[in-house]
Amino acid sequence: MHASRHTLIALAIASVAVVTSGCTGSSPSTDPVATTVAPTEKVTITFWHGWSQPSEVKAIADNIAAFQKLHPNITVKTVPNVADDKILQGIRGGNGPDVVSSFTTDNVGMFCNGALMDLNPWLAKSGVDKNSVFLKPMVEYTQYQGKQCTLPLLGDAYGMYYNKAMFAAAGISAPPRTWSEFKADAVKLTKQSGASYSQLGFMPTFHGYENAIAHWVSQSGPTYFSADGKANIDKDPAFADFLTMQKDLVDSLGGFARLEKYRNGFGEEFSPQNAFEAGKVAMQIDGEWRTVSIRDDGVKLDWATAPLPVPDDQAASYGRGYVSGTVVGIPANSKHAAAAWEFVKYLTTDTTALVTFANAIHNVPSTHAAMSSPDLDKDAQFATFLQIAQNEQSNTTPASPNGGQYQTILQDFTYKWESGQAKDLTSGLADVDQQIDKANAQAKG
């Protein structure tokens, strides 16, 4: 689940066309928000979701069973392990489900362009104030241009994992809070071994596991787009400042070629051979799921978690982080919209359902009520991510009309930058903005 959620995904051109063409199948003839489901009315709705691991499928099945106990007239039929392109194809063909979920928040902009209903009227009808119910970053990544076409269903927060034994051996008493402290610690924790390393303080290259620039630069509170929707990466100093810092860290730790050679010996990310679990790195960017992976993998490791460091001139913002997660919506041509809304409302706002689900799959809850529930598992290391998700300065990447293509364009440039292929940062970021504006204009038609 996590690999598909956190990789920047560009959907196939055919899938993009599904939404941008506005071809979403036949819509109900009446206003769906005006409809209701009588307690005696028997309704069967279909739910397509992406969970595939047995524990995840069981967790969602348990929630469905609890919902059906509350609504015995509504039967929910599920289809697991469904990707976004299949969802969009089903909606276009008029044989899609009544409720869908997606791990890819980058695609919300596409979903909001006609494929899924705007849920704002449903929220208003049910008296749900989204801004007080849900965590702020999660409201942001579930809407696009005023359309709340999805709602958050649990989330992920990014922070730092660090090896306490390595820190103690290096005489470091606490995790770094600022970029300068981060660099100093990474260098101090690095042990050279010939042309390689016996221990690396931190793997700074962008191909490393969860090292996407979006996860890092969030610590600077970046603004990707201006008020008029134009790319703002060249104009916001957060990006240039971060990339300058990152390149300096690459050089300080031995250079791109040496680091990449070492990284190529890392084990698979979601395995006990993960570089952090294997003791190859002292610090690592990762999400809340790693807390459970370390336990389940049976790795003997003295470790802890903390927020990622922030720029020196933003030290007061320490504690923020990048937030993402699963989204849920109702296809625009759902034949049972009222029943579908009852199910979506239950999944996304019922505190017991959210806490039970969060405890089962070890994700961050998406509502304030679930966050404060005494039934939520809150061990010390997992609590770090709960705090990051609730931090008012935590942020996410904004939705776009083309599946987050702007992130792919920026990421491609960062690979050239860190390797030394791109020499001029200013002109490089200006070119990134031009490419993004061109891609967005094409997507909008």
Side-chain angles (χ1 to χ4, degrees), residues 236-304:
D236 185 348
F239 293 95
D241 290 348
F242 164 72
L243 288 170
T244 299
M245 181 281 301
Q246 185 266 351
K247 183 64 164 59
D248 176 60
L249 185 58
V250 167
D251 295 340
S252 299
L253 293 177
F256 178 77
R258 177 181 287 190
L259 288 166
E260 280 294 276
K261 184 176 181 180
Y262 187 63
R263 186 188 64 79
N264 287 332
F266 286 3
E268 201 275 324
E269 180 179 359
F270 299 100
S271 78
Q273 287 71 50
N274 177 285
F276 180 74
E277 294 187 38
K280 291 187 174 183
V281 296
M283 296 182 286
Q284 181 165 288
I285 293 175
D286 221 327
E288 78 288 336
W289 60 87
R290 182 64 51 195
T291 62
V292 179
S293 295
I294 293 173
R295 181 198 69 192
D296 291 350
D297 290 341
V299 177
K300 293 184 178 180
L301 196 66
D302 187 9
W303 60 283

Side-chain angles (χ1 to χ4, degrees), residues 333-400:
N333 52 10
S334 168
K335 297 177 178 63
H336 306 289
W341 168 247
E342 290 299 326
F343 182 51
V344 168
K345 183 175 65 172
Y346 174 80
L347 288 179
T348 60
T349 67
D350 185 274
T351 299
T352 299
L354 287 166
V355 170
T356 301
F357 198 29
N359 288 344
I361 70 172
H362 310 292
N363 280 177
V364 172
S366 36
T367 68
H368 293 288
M371 279 285 190
S372 60
S373 170
D375 297 323
L376 180 65
D377 292 343
K378 298 179 181 178
D379 68 78
Q381 306 312 330
F382 188 77
T384 296
F385 300 94
L386 299 180
Q387 293 162 6
I388 291 170
Q390 294 177 90
N391 188 297
E392 282 297 308
Q393 296 190 64
S394 288
N395 55 83
T396 189
T397 40
S400 69

Side-chain angles (χ1 to χ4, degrees), residues 217 220 223 232-244 429:
V217 78
S220 302
T223 301
N232 193 58
I233 292 170
D234 178 42
K235 301 174 184 64
D236 185 348
F239 293 95
D241 290 348
F242 164 72
L243 288 170
T244 299
L429 292 180

Side-chain angles (χ1 to χ4, degrees), residues 378-430:
K378 298 179 181 178
D379 68 78
Q381 306 312 330
F382 188 77
T384 296
F385 300 94
L386 299 180
Q387 293 162 6
I388 291 170
Q390 294 177 90
N391 188 297
E392 282 297 308
Q393 296 190 64
S394 288
N395 55 83
T396 189
T397 40
S400 69
N402 51 17
Q405 190 174 348
Y406 72 94
Q407 294 182 57
T408 303
I409 293 169
L410 175 59
Q411 189 76 62
D412 288 344
F413 171 74
T414 66
Y415 296 147
K416 297 176 182 177
W417 167 250
E418 67 179 358
S419 66
Q421 296 178 54
K423 306 292 185 182
D424 189 327
L425 183 57
T426 300
S427 63
L429 292 180

Side-chain angles (χ1 to χ4, degrees), residues 63-113:
N63 259 4
I64 290 172
F67 168 77
Q68 291 179 149
K69 188 174 181 179
L70 292 173
H71 301 270
N73 60 313
I74 302 176
T75 299
V76 181
K77 296 179 65 176
T78 62
V79 180
N81 199 23
V82 182
D84 287 8
D85 57 345
K86 297 298 183 183
I87 289 172
L88 292 167
Q89 288 170 10
I91 295 172
R92 177 180 59 177
N95 58 355
D98 297 290
V99 178
V100 301
S101 76
S102 169
F103 301 146
T104 313
T105 56
D106 287 345
N107 291 338
V108 167
M110 296 167 58
F111 282 133
C112 286
N113 195 17

Side-chain angles (χ1 to χ4, degrees), residues 182-249:
F182 180 50
K183 175 187 174 183
D185 288 351
V187 171
K188 193 172 185 179
L189 289 160
T190 295
K191 297 180 179 180
Q192 306 285 344
S193 178
S196 188
Y197 311 87
S198 60
Q199 174 183 303
L200 183 64
F202 178 80
M203 175 52 69
T205 63
F206 287 116
H207 281 100
Y209 294 155
E210 299 292 336
N211 282 10
I213 184 173
H215 301 165
W216 282 56
V217 78
S218 62
Q219 300 308 105
S220 302
T223 301
Y224 286 87
F225 297 98
S226 59
D228 62 358
K230 297 294 184 181
N232 193 58
I233 292 170
D234 178 42
K235 301 174 184 64
D236 185 348
F239 293 95
D241 290 348
F242 164 72
L243 288 170
T244 299
M245 181 281 301
Q246 185 266 351
K247 183 64 164 59
D248 176 60
L249 185 58

